[in-house]
Amino acid sequence: MEMKEKIIDLYENYGFEYRKQASNNDYLAFTFKSGFFHNAELVSLLIEDKKRVEIEMESSAQDLENLGFSTKKSFYKSVSEIDETLFRGFFNVDDWKKKIKSEYKNHCKRILSILPKEADSYTYIDVPYLKNNSTNSESLISDICSSLNQKGPQLSIIEAPAGFGKTCTSYEIINHLVEDQNKHPIPFFTEFSRDRQARVFSHIFVREVDKSFNAVNSNVVINEVKKGRIAIILDGFDELLHDSSSNDESDEDDGFENAEPMLETISELLTENAKIILTSRRSAIFDGELFNEWIERYKNQFTVNRYRLSEPEINDWIPVSRLEKLNKTTVKINNFANPVLLSFLRFVNDEYFAELCGKPSLIVERYFLSMLEREMDRQDLRMNASQQAKLLTLVASDMCEHNYTSDSKEKIINTIKEKAGYILNEVRALYSPVDKPTIDKLATTLSNHAFFDRSHQEDNNIQFVNEFVFGNYIANSILEYDGEWMASDERFIEPAVLSYVPRDENNRLSLWDKLTPMAEFLDSSIRMKFEGLLTGEIKDIAYNGSEITSMSLSQQKLFYDGSIENCVIKNCTFTNCEFYFDNFIDVTFLNCTFWDCTFKKVNENELAFYNCKDNNNFVSKFEETSIVDIEKSEPNIENYILSKMWPAGQSSIKSLHYFTSNLFKTDQFSKKEVIKSIKYLKKIGYLEDANDTNFIAINKNKIAEIKSMLGRNN
């Protein structure tokens, strides 16, 4: 494309009209109409001959002024300078950064509003994380933001459990991008929530773009995203997914079918130098075969970075002196590894902290009590803490029943009036006739509760302020429900469970008992995680014949009672767990991590590890007691493995990579036998490790030998 055409294309992209009659070889004329304002710009790259060209421009400028345009003469050094100037002007970059900074400050204020009054400042505390399944010592924010300056399109996925810092991380990223002096892209941030209306991601995205950048067409925004000038941060990607709470074997496929249209929309943006960050609750979707095939399909178009946030390091939040006092109590400190509770314990005054240590089992209740009592003072509200809790529980219950997490302020007010009308009347009775508020006024006051928050996606929408608070009131509604409690979506269970992890054993067991009917419909991985978190051990028989994936467990006993059979456990992390392997029958661990774990085993039973790692020889100690001879393997099994990777009837191999889990879906051989043969085929060079640990790869240099082994020489 010639330089002249490039300049015309740039201006026309921003809505300018090229005026050929007013242009010549030394300059180009463009006009722009926006409501009352009619502007014209005469553009030249001949900056070294500025005086002469300015004189030439005068005639064209006069003609355009006679047509009602306000004219401007502009000289640039290069086309790229024109491009940058148009971008900064139309996107009001400096004002946009101020807007982002203001949103970040409001975010900090919202966090402080639900902390003790001693908390006078907010500081983001880095959490441990895995990047592409490997530990990384660099600050999470620094690592993510520095990657945005790298060349080429890139998708970053940040996964974490409910309430473990996804939104705070998103806000920290956008703040870093506008504060840092390095040449970062400007952020376009949107925080998704689940509302009552049908959601089509592509429509939502365009709507958000149009709302945020109303001075330019959405196509211009998308072009700048592709150039890498605007980084997209999508917080709460999982909120747009439909219900996946089912035990059906096609869970993963159904989940991906829901996610794929959104991912395809994202992939269309990921060209040139685009950068997109999305956050999500941990989901098996991102470890499944279909998602990995999707990545494989686009591997030559863009790169993918996976970040998995871990529990907060308590030492980073709580002073040593306070940790020592907590350790002397009966509570398990790790159960409090939640940002909300850690902040509470960090900021309360010494006297109150000492009081909490005296009754450690009531720490969570005391947090909510103190915040609700604070709300009475903040809004001059005569609704006591118990009444507030009941009202918030009713709102959370309605959200679970009707599958939404945010709604318009007007609808939340109506929900409060409909569901908690009797509470409002009780409170109104406490006022004198002169001061008595109307039902509407009182409901409106409560819609401004500190535990509610304005939704970033819709200025008029409100939602619970964070997942921990939301989960607490969901759990309340579960425990108070008379009968078998069922949610419209499993999305509502995780925050409830995580809010109850810091409670005492009786409360945790009561919640697990009430969740039993709903647990029947949960994915096996989610069910096992919740069982461990609430009961401290895994013993349910529900996991036989299932695939457990993307789960983290800490300080659990696994099958001290009960047993597990014919199961694949993959991409899981176990910390300080105790395994009773005599009760594991035909179980295979794939790509799992074991930190400071122990096991007990007496019997010989089918159990195998593949691509697993540990920090205390956990795996090698097991294999010493159960030796696997890989010097030779059964030809029938080798043939089975290679046939799965190169099916009969195919003249060539469609892909050198194969999803390892699929090799275990057979009744012909045990999982241990399959692993033995995989290791043998790797040893003789027919197979090799793939870039992704979920896959195994055929060595393309051994195609002839594999073809011969499979009897396909003709």
Side-chain angles (χ1 to χ4, degrees), residues 267-299:
S267 71
E268 291 169 5
L269 296 171
L270 285 166
T271 59
E272 299 181 50
N273 203 33
K275 301 293 187 295
I276 297 177
I277 299 169
L278 63 86
T279 76
S280 174
R281 289 180 300 141
R282 286 183 185 166
S283 171
I285 291 170
F286 297 125
D287 285 317
E289 179 182 10
L290 294 176
F291 178 74
N292 280 281
E293 286 180 351
W294 181 82
I295 291 177
E296 181 75 12
R297 188 161 75 244
Y298 288 104
K299 68 179 181 181

Side-chain angles (χ1 to χ4, degrees), residues 284 522-530 543 546-551 572:
L522 295 179
D523 169 80
S524 297
S525 308
I526 295 171
R527 179 172 180 159
M528 181 178 284
K529 173 186 173 181
F530 293 167
Y543 313 113
S546 62
E547 188 173 273
I548 306 297
T549 185
S550 306
M551 180 188 64
C572 293

Side-chain angles (χ1 to χ4, degrees), residues 33-51:
K33 295 181 179 179
S34 178
F36 180 78
F37 300 98
H38 291 191
N39 299 312
E41 186 170 9
L42 303 169
V43 181
S44 175
L45 294 179
L46 299 175
I47 195 168
E48 70 282 353
D49 203 7
K50 183 177 180 181
K51 287 186 178 180

Side-chain angles (χ1 to χ4, degrees), residues 16 52 64 81 97 125 128 155 160 166 180 199 240 285 298 318 357 369 378 380 384 409 471 520-521 569 585 712:
F16 284 85
R52 178 184 66 80
L64 291 169
E81 185 183 0
K97 287 184 175 181
I125 298 178
L155 172 65
K166 295 184 295 295
D180 196 70
R199 317 288 289 166
L240 302 181
I285 291 170
Y298 288 104
I318 308 296
C357 289
L369 178 63
R378 187 179 76 89
D380 192 21
N384 63 37
K409 189 179 182 73
E520 298 295 326
F521 298 92
I569 301 175
I585 302 164
R712 299 180 190 170

Side-chain angles (χ1 to χ4, degrees), residues 439-658:
I439 290 285
D440 284 339
K441 183 177 180 181
L442 187 54
T444 301
T445 298
L446 290 163
S447 72
N448 296 317
H449 198 283
F451 280 161
F452 287 139
D453 182 25
R454 176 182 63 84
S455 168
H456 185 276
Q457 187 182 345
E458 286 285 352
D459 289 341
N460 194 41
N461 272 23
I462 56 178
Q463 58 197 12
F464 275 90
V465 69
N466 60 46
E467 292 283 297
F468 182 76
V469 170
F470 188 26
N472 176 74
Y473 294 111
I474 294 173
N476 281 0
S477 71
I478 295 171
L479 291 168
E480 292 175 4
Y481 190 79
D482 184 16
E484 294 188 347
W485 183 87
M486 301 291 287
S488 59
D489 193 303
E490 59 93 355
R491 177 261 180 269
F492 298 98
I493 301 178
E494 184 178 32
V497 170
L498 294 178
S499 77
Y500 259 60
V501 170
R503 312 271 181 160
D504 62 37
E505 184 178 22
N506 288 337
N507 276 305
R508 295 198 309 272
L509 292 176
S510 294
L511 181 59
W512 180 242
D513 183 60
K514 289 291 289 187
L515 285 173
T516 299
M518 185 71 190
E520 298 295 326
F521 298 92
L522 295 179
D523 169 80
S524 297
S525 308
I526 295 171
R527 179 172 180 159
M528 181 178 284
K529 173 186 173 181
F530 293 167
E531 180 188 4
L533 288 172
L534 292 178
T535 71
E537 60 180 344
I538 308 296
K539 61 181 182 180
D540 203 316
I541 63 170
Y543 313 113
N544 292 341
S546 62
E547 188 173 273
I548 306 297
T549 185
S550 306
M551 180 188 64
S552 295
L553 285 181
S554 178
Q555 297 180 311
Q556 306 289 320
K557 287 183 177 181
L558 283 88
F559 296 99
Y560 173 76
D561 291 322
S563 64
I564 183 169
E565 300 180 17
N566 187 29
C567 182
V568 174
I569 301 175
K570 65 176 185 178
N571 299 314
C572 293
T573 299
F574 301 95
T575 305
N576 286 310
C577 289
E578 190 169 358
F579 293 82
Y580 291 82
F581 279 147
D582 285 334
N583 297 321
F584 286 66
I585 302 164
D586 194 17
V587 174
T588 298
F589 292 91
L590 294 179
N591 310 323
C592 290
T593 301
F594 303 89
W595 299 128
D596 299 318
C597 292
T598 59
F599 69 88
K600 293 184 179 180
K601 188 175 190 300
V602 177
N603 303 325
E604 272 297 321
N605 49 356
E606 294 293 343
L607 186 61
F609 295 82
Y610 182 73
N611 275 357
C612 294
K613 58 186 178 181
D614 57 46
N615 66 337
N616 62 354
N617 298 316
F618 176 88
V619 176
S620 60
K621 285 177 184 176
F622 167 78
E623 290 179 339
E624 286 173 8
T625 68
S626 181
I627 296 174
V628 178
D629 178 16
I630 63 168
E631 290 303 316
K632 52 187 177 180
S633 177
E634 291 292 333
N636 286 343
I637 308 177
E638 295 162 15
N639 193 283
Y640 158 77
I641 292 170
L642 296 173
S643 294
K644 293 284 282 185
M645 303 179 77
W646 190 355
Q650 284 185 193
S651 58
S652 61
I653 301 174
K654 290 184 178 179
S655 174
L656 295 174
H657 296 78
Y658 190 79

Side-chain angles (χ1 to χ4, degrees), residues 674-689:
V674 173
I675 283 185
K676 177 181 175 181
S677 292
I678 292 173
K679 290 180 177 179
Y680 178 71
L681 289 169
K682 286 176 66 176
K683 183 176 181 179
I684 63 176
Y686 284 25
L687 299 181
E688 58 187 13
D689 290 330

